[in-house]
């Protein structure tokens, strides 16, 4: 039954204006209303979150709206929190100081905080909101938090895997099992978002190794509440491993034929099927046809499986796609990283043709930055059928690091460093690092800066400043202080090849301890000559013949003094490794030349080359093979090379020998003289240690090293005054085994190696350890 009132009165309100209340109601004065209008008005007023109670009653010709206002939040605080500070938690909750208290919002905040702790791996956490009333209808909102113990992952199981062992697949995913190192890492807790990325990592791994039919049937995390731990189980179906059969290109474009796109094909017949090579082929073909005027062209690979022979025939179909333009690009989730840092990784902009291949390429680039925990790129329809809106969603992660390093080197003894690193400085994508370090005989100071997009182009630029001090040791008879820096410019020629240009300048201060340069062994004494006290330490009036071993070589003493060196150089780097820190597949190559003499006191040209190949020898057992070759040549452009500008070779490259333990020496003092040529090679296999839990991170290695160093620079006949030994270019060869600990602090490695072929003047060293920690 309809009713009519002349006016609407509001009672009980203190902060909210009468007109504000009336504005939310559907009932109007002098207009008929029904019971449904009363219900709608009540719902609208409650939905504002301004009121805890509302009543609507008609009194004669007046409609009375009685409200009880929600309290005003004076302060929001947290108790019992340790893993997150108050400032961080306050940014997460919706209830804020000086806003109206809403019971629904408080409940939502409670669930949000619980979810936050679950992502931290604390499934026993509890959050209880408390409301403390204050005068003038104000309250303090307190969230009482019991964080609980960390909920770990007791076991990660795989069902249905035959090609790769459980331990190998555990290395592929990010989630780790709880164990001895749980107190210093967070990846051994259950995180639903991490579990999703683990599934994607497994798919990518199998598709890279030829298993084109691979699929994940289920990924389940079961919580044992009594033990407060998860059991994670992946059930997979591997399918067969495929090799590539026939590869064809078909094009419907008028002026671009298949033969013109053949050079972009990265999948060769006979190779194991690799989804990465297919993706690279798509990208290169899209770029190729775009440059030829087909901005909307699409490239679609179609695979025809031969189940009997386990091959896939691939045909790349190139067609003119629908004319769809990018209307807008929205960036979301970046609270710190600036928009332009994300946009510059995109090979498209507003108004460009839409192409799915370029979208996938942009996603890969953004992930590779290391700034984001997760990257997702979605699309939605724009203002018309031929317009699309691209939405880039990112989830940021910490990019700064304060590191304390400690380690041990057989050559330098105990070493350590402290560094501050920021990989996304001020959200601009810049790299900044400052470090100080030292050991028993070294002191180092370094500062580095890199701008990955110099002048708004995909050209990196940066500089390094450093000071390095080396004191005399058992293998080094001199003291050396180098102060300098360099400027670097890097230009990517494609996804795998990079050109680097450098300018380096440094001042070297080279000196020898006084007692090592008195020259006693060079003196010729006759009867009646007065012998200096430094050459007659026992006071018998005779020249101490055994002092020759305590004397620095003439080559060492010839380098005493200050030298300024100015170098320009370039390098070409080829890199297809699947992981920079722990590669299992791919190639790395580097060719570098440096020219000293652009000013300065020395002039030489130095050429070095290095190549590495990684391959999983036995993927099921996690056995990885590595083959490495290195070589170098340095030639003086002046009268001759000084000692520090030669190459030196030893245990760092050919294990089983001491530091600077290989190559030409002063036959009298045993000082290493270095050489102008060197070549070295390594063959190595690494494998998980049997009966050792994989979560500890221990690996074994067997290896063999070989190489040689030869040819001191005697262009000025300087070394004719020295008895040079060991400069015959003999091959050195050693073999051994090592233990590697991939600790959360960084890799630490101990090697035992024995020379098989050596020169009698070489210095050997069976045991060598090196590495460092970061925490």
């Amino acid at each position: 039954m309809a009713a009519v009132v002349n006016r609407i009165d509001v009672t009980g309100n203190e902060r909210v204006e009468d007109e504000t209340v009336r504005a939310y109601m559907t009932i109007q004065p002098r207009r008929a209303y029904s019971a449904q209008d009363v219900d709608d008005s009540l719902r609208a007023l409650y939905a504002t979150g301004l009121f805890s109670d509302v009543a609507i009653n008609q009194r004669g010709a007046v409609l009375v709206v009685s409200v009880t206002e929600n309290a005003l939040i004076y302060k929001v605080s947290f108790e019992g929190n340790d893993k997150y500070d108050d400032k961080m938690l306050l940014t997460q909750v919706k209830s804020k100081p000086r806003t109206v208290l809403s019971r629904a919002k408080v409940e939502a905040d409670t669930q949000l905080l619980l979810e936050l702790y679950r992502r931290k791996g604390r499934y026993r956490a509890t959050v209880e909101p408390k409301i403390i009333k204050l005068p003038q209808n104000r309250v303090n909102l307190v969230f009482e938090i019991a964080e609980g113990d960390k909920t770990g992952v007791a076991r990660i199981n795989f069902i249905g895997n035959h090609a790769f062992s459980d331990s190998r697949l555990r290395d592929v995913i990010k989630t780790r099992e709880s164990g001895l190192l749980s107190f210093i890492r967070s990846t051994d807790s259950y995180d639903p978002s991490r579990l999703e990325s683990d599934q994607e990592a497994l798919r990518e791994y199998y598709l890279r190794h030829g298993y084109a039919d691979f699929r994940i049937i289920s990924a389940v995390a079961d919580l044992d509440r009594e033990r407060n731990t998860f059991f994670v189980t992946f059930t997979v179906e591997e399918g067969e491993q495929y090799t590539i059969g026939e590869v064809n290109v078909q094009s419907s474009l008028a002026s671009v034929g298949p033969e013109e796109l053949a050079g972009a094909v990265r999948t060769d017949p006979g190779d194991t099927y690799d989804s990465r090579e297919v993706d690279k082929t798509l990208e290169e073909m899209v770029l190729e046809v775009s440059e030829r005027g087909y901005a909307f062209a699409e490239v679609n690979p179609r695979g025809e499986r031969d189940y009997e022979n386990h091959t896939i025939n691939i045909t790349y179909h190139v067609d003119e796609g629908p004319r769809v333009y990018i209307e807008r690009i929205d960036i979301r989730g970046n609270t710190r990283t600036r928009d332009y840092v994300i946009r510059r990784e995109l090979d498209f902009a507003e108004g460009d043709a839409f192409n799915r291949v370029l979208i996938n390429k942009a996603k890969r680039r953004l992930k590779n930055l290391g700034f984001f925990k997760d990257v997702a790129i979605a699309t939605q329809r724009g203002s018309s059928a031929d317009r699309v809106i691209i939405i880039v969603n990112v989830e940021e992660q910490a990019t700064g690091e304060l590191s304390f390093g400690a380690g041990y080197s057989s050559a330098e003894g105990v070493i350590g460093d402290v560094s501050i690193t920021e990989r996304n400085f001020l959200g601009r994508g810049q790299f900044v690092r400052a470090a100080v370090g030292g050991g028993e005989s070294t002191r180092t100071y370094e500062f580095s800066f890199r701008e990955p997009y110099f002048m708004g182009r995909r050209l990196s630029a940066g500089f390094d400043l450093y000071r390095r001090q080396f004191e005399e040791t058992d293998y080094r008879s001199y003291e050396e202080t180098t102060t300098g820096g360099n400027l670097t410019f890097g230009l990517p020629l494609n996804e795998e090849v990079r050109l680097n240009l450098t300018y380096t300048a440094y001042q070297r201060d080279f000196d020898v301890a006084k007692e090592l340069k008195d020259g006693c062994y060079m003196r010729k004494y006759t009867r009646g000559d007065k012998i200096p006290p430094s050459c007659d330490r026992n006071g018998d009036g005779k020249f101490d013949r055994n002092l020759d071993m305590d004397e620095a070589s003439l080559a060492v003493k010839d380098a005493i003094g200050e030298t300024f060196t100015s170098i320009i150089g370039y390098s070409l780097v080829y890199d297809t490794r699947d992981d920079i820190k722990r590669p299992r597949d791919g190639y790395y190559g580097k060719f570098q030349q440096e020219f000293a003499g652009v000013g300065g006191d020395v002039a030489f040209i130095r050429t070095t080359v290095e190549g590495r190949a990684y391959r999983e020898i036995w993927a099921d057992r996690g056995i990885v093979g590595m083959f490495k070759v290195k070589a170098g040549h340095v030639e003086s452009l002046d009268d001759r090379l000084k000692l520090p500008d030669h190459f030196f070779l030893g245990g760092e490259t050919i294990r089983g020998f001491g530091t600077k333990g290989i190559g030409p020496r002063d036959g009298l003092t045993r000082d290493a003289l270095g050489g102008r040529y060197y070549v070295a090679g390594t063959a190595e296999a690494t494998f998980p240690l049997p009966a050792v839990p994989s979560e500890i991170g221990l690996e074994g290695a067997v290896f063999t090293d070989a190489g040689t160093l030869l040819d001191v620079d005697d262009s000025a006949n300087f070394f004719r005054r020295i008895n040079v030994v060991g400069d015959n270019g003999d091959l050195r060869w050693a073999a051994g085994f090592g233990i590697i600990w991939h600790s959360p602090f960084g890799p630490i490695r101990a090697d035992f190696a024995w020379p098989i072929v050596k020169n009698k003047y070489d210095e050997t060293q069976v045991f060598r350890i090196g590495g460092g920690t970061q925490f």
Side-chain angles (χ1 to χ4, degrees):
M1 181 176 178
V4 178
V5 293
N6 292 330
R7 72 174 190 269
I8 299 175
D9 289 347
V10 180
T11 65
N13 53 316
E14 297 179 6
R15 297 187 307 273
V16 183
E17 297 290 337
D18 291 359
E19 288 303 320
T20 302
V21 176
R22 296 188 186 106
Y24 284 105
M25 299 177 62
T26 61
I27 303 172
Q28 299 296 324
R30 292 177 295 277
R31 291 184 183 178
Y33 71 92
S34 64
Q36 182 64 45
D37 291 321
V38 174
D39 290 341
D40 291 343
S41 296
L42 286 172
R43 280 195 293 270
L45 289 170
Y46 275 117
T48 64
L50 299 173
F51 310 108
S52 60
D53 190 28
V54 181
I56 299 177
N57 298 290
Q58 183 174 349
R59 296 175 184 174
V62 178
L63 189 69
V64 180
V65 181
S66 302
V67 299
T68 301
E69 293 180 338
N70 274 327
L72 193 68
I73 300 175
Y74 177 69
K75 183 180 180 181
V76 179
S77 59
F78 307 89
E79 294 181 358
N81 52 306
D82 178 56
K83 300 303 176 183
Y84 297 104
D85 60 27
D86 290 6
K87 184 177 180 181
M88 188 273 176
L89 293 178
L90 191 59
T91 63
Q92 300 297 310
V93 298
K94 304 299 182 183
S95 300
K96 305 290 185 184
R98 295 180 297 278
T99 63
V100 175
L101 177 70
S102 167
R103 302 281 179 175
K105 192 180 294 183
V106 170
E107 180 61 30
D109 288 339
T110 300
Q111 295 303 315
L112 188 148
L113 292 173
L114 286 172
E115 182 61 27
L116 196 66
Y117 275 96
R118 286 177 181 141
R119 290 180 189 172
K120 199 79 172 179
R122 296 181 179 271
Y123 278 76
R124 284 186 174 177
T126 61
V127 178
E128 185 175 354
K130 298 287 187 181
I131 298 174
I132 302 173
K133 293 186 177 181
L134 301 174
Q136 301 175 347
N137 199 24
R138 297 177 302 159
V139 297
N140 282 341
L141 177 59
V142 180
F143 292 97
E144 294 183 351
I145 300 172
E147 295 182 326
D149 297 330
K150 183 178 177 181
T151 307
V153 176
R155 187 70 179 168
I156 302 174
N157 298 307
F158 296 89
I159 298 175
N161 56 309
H162 304 289
F164 304 102
S165 65
D166 285 14
S167 61
R168 178 67 193 98
L169 295 181
R170 291 189 194 106
D171 287 340
V172 173
I173 64 178
K174 293 182 180 179
T175 303
R176 293 288 180 259
E177 295 179 348
S178 300
L180 298 175
L181 306 176
S182 294
F183 69 99
I184 50 177
R185 66 185 179 194
S186 59
T187 53
D188 61 343
S189 60
Y190 171 67
D191 184 341
S193 60
R194 189 188 303 128
L195 191 65
E196 290 180 8
S197 65
D198 287 343
Q199 294 179 63
E200 185 62 28
L202 288 171
R203 290 189 191 96
E204 291 179 359
Y205 181 76
Y206 270 93
L207 289 175
R208 292 200 311 261
H209 289 80
Y211 293 87
D213 297 329
F214 172 82
R215 66 190 185 100
I216 296 176
I217 298 174
S218 66
V220 180
D222 295 317
L223 175 61
D224 184 334
R225 295 189 179 278
E226 184 177 345
R227 296 171 55 186
N228 191 34
T229 189
F230 275 96
F231 291 85
V232 178
T233 303
F234 295 93
T235 303
V236 304
E237 185 178 297
E238 292 180 330
E240 298 292 340
Q241 186 181 41
Y242 291 89
T243 57
I244 297 174
E246 296 181 2
V247 179
N248 297 295
V249 179
Q250 294 181 359
S251 174
S252 64
L253 304 180
S255 59
V256 182
E259 64 282 352
E260 296 174 274
L261 297 175
V265 175
R266 303 286 292 269
T267 49
D268 297 324
D271 289 350
T272 301
Y273 176 81
D274 187 339
S275 61
R276 293 174 302 178
E277 298 303 314
V278 175
D279 291 340
K280 290 177 182 178
T281 299
L282 296 181
E283 291 173 9
E284 293 191 14
M285 282 189 174
V286 166
L287 293 175
E288 179 71 23
V289 296
S290 295
E291 292 175 357
R292 295 172 180 263
Y294 293 91
F296 299 95
E298 291 184 343
V299 181
N300 297 301
R302 296 176 187 173
E304 181 183 339
R305 289 168 171 76
D306 183 337
Y307 295 101
E308 182 178 351
N309 297 314
H310 300 151
T311 61
I312 297 180
N313 299 324
I314 302 176
T315 302
Y316 296 97
H317 293 268
V318 185
D319 303 297
E320 182 70 43
R323 292 183 172 270
V324 178
Y325 296 89
I326 299 172
E327 180 176 316
R328 192 173 72 246
I329 301 174
D330 292 342
I331 311 294
R332 299 176 183 176
N334 55 317
T335 58
R336 183 167 180 269
T337 305
R338 308 197 180 195
D339 274 14
Y340 71 81
V341 173
I342 297 174
R343 288 180 180 272
R344 68 193 185 189
E345 297 299 328
L346 314 179
D347 285 334
F348 48 83
E350 283 88 349
D352 287 353
F354 173 78
N355 194 292
R356 177 60 64 181
V357 171
L358 298 183
I359 299 291
N360 295 334
K361 183 179 181 181
K363 182 179 179 180
R364 186 178 70 250
R365 276 184 174 170
L366 289 172
K367 281 186 174 181
N368 291 340
L369 289 177
F371 303 163
F372 310 111
K373 183 187 297 185
D374 188 37
V375 177
I377 302 181
T379 59
Q380 66 181 38
R381 179 171 173 166
S383 57
S384 61
D386 64 344
R387 296 290 186 271
V388 65
I389 298 173
I390 296 176
I391 303 171
V392 181
N393 289 290
V394 298
E395 182 181 354
E396 293 183 315
Q397 62 183 4
T399 55
E401 181 181 84
L402 172 63
S403 300
F404 301 86
Y408 179 80
S409 164
S410 302
E412 298 290 349
V414 178
I415 55 177
D417 67 81
V418 179
S419 67
I420 299 176
T421 304
E422 174 54 65
R423 292 179 284 111
N424 188 13
F425 183 62
L426 299 178
R428 300 173 183 269
Q430 298 165 335
F431 175 90
V432 178
R433 182 176 184 269
V436 295
E440 297 178 8
S441 61
T442 62
R443 301 288 185 275
T444 60
Y445 310 89
E446 299 178 2
F447 179 81
S448 300
F449 175 83
R450 293 289 183 276
E451 167 55 67
Y453 275 76
F454 185 60
M455 302 291 289
R457 300 180 180 275
R458 194 161 284 148
L459 170 68
S460 66
F463 65 87
D464 301 281
L465 301 173
Y466 55 84
R467 181 177 175 86
R468 300 164 185 158
Q469 297 173 287
F470 301 94
E471 299 174 357
E472 174 196 346
T473 64
D474 293 339
Y475 68 89
R476 187 170 53 224
S477 63
Y478 52 83
E479 299 174 353
E480 183 179 1
T481 300
T482 304
T483 304
N486 59 58
L487 298 174
T488 63
F489 296 90
L491 175 65
L493 303 183
N494 55 42
E495 291 289 325
E496 299 167 345
V497 182
R498 187 175 188 84
L499 171 65
N500 297 314
L501 306 175
T502 60
Y503 172 73
T504 304
Y506 55 85
Q507 181 84 19
R508 177 189 287 126
D509 187 1
F510 198 91
D511 200 4
V512 177
K514 181 178 179 181
E515 61 272 16
L516 297 180
K517 56 181 179 181
D518 51 31
C520 294
Y521 80 98
M522 295 300 296
R523 304 278 184 94
K524 299 295 184 181
Y525 294 96
T526 58
R527 190 181 300 275
D529 285 346
K530 184 177 181 180
I531 302 175
S534 61
C535 301
D536 182 16
R537 298 179 185 177
N538 58 11
D540 62 358
K542 297 180 180 179
F543 171 62
D544 294 335
R545 296 291 179 181
N546 62 340
L547 287 182
D548 55 3
M549 296 301 292
D550 294 329
E551 186 76 12
S553 171
L554 277 179
V556 174
K557 291 189 285 187
D558 177 64
I560 293 174
E562 293 185 355
T563 304
F564 178 72
T565 303
S566 176
I567 302 174
I568 59 171
Y570 72 93
S571 63
L572 281 171
V573 179
Y574 173 77
D575 195 349
T576 63
R577 292 174 295 174
D578 58 346
D579 189 313
I580 295 177
K581 294 182 178 179
R582 198 174 173 183
R584 293 178 175 273
D585 184 76
Y587 300 92
Y588 174 87
K590 182 177 182 180
F591 177 83
Q592 180 172 0
Q593 281 195 312
E594 298 172 292
F595 304 87
V598 186
D601 302 320
V602 297
F604 59 78
I605 177 172
R606 181 165 53 206
T607 304
T608 56
V609 61
E610 178 180 357
R612 282 178 260 161
Y614 300 87
R615 189 70 64 195
E616 286 186 307
I617 302 174
W618 192 355
D620 182 35
R621 299 300 178 187
I623 300 177
V624 180
M626 186 272 289
F627 180 71
K628 176 175 65 176
V629 292
K630 298 174 65 176
H633 169 239
V634 58
E635 188 70 39
S636 174
L637 301 177
D638 204 345
D639 57 345
R640 62 183 175 82
L641 288 173
K642 294 284 188 178
L643 178 81
D645 297 323
H646 285 75
F647 291 116
F648 291 88
L649 205 61
E652 301 89 347
T653 305
I654 305 179
R655 287 157 289 192
F657 296 86
T659 300
K660 299 185 178 181
I662 296 172
R665 296 186 173 280
D666 186 320
L668 194 60
T669 68
R670 291 296 192 268
D671 278 316
L673 303 177
R676 293 192 295 169
Y677 300 90
Y678 83 91
V679 62
T682 294
E684 179 175 279
T686 58
F687 51 88
L689 290 177
V692 177
S694 60
E695 62 95 12
I696 295 178
L698 284 177
E699 278 189 333
V702 292
F703 58 84
T704 181
D705 297 333
T708 188
L709 172 73
L710 70 156
D711 196 20
V712 296
D713 187 356
D714 196 21
S715 56
N717 296 325
F718 176 81
F719 284 95
R720 292 187 178 182
R721 303 165 58 193
I722 303 172
N723 178 26
V724 179
V725 298
D727 192 18
N728 50 11
D730 289 345
L731 178 72
R732 275 74 163 185
W733 179 25
F737 67 89
I739 298 176
I740 310 163
W741 181 29
H742 295 284
S743 76
F745 309 125
I748 298 175
R749 176 166 183 153
D751 287 315
F752 296 84
W754 291 266
I756 299 173
V757 176
K758 63 179 181 177
N759 187 286
K760 68 177 182 178
Y761 300 103
D762 293 337
E763 295 182 359
T764 61
Q765 182 181 28
V766 172
F767 176 69
R768 193 173 191 88
I769 185 172
T773 63
Q774 288 189 334
F775 49 90

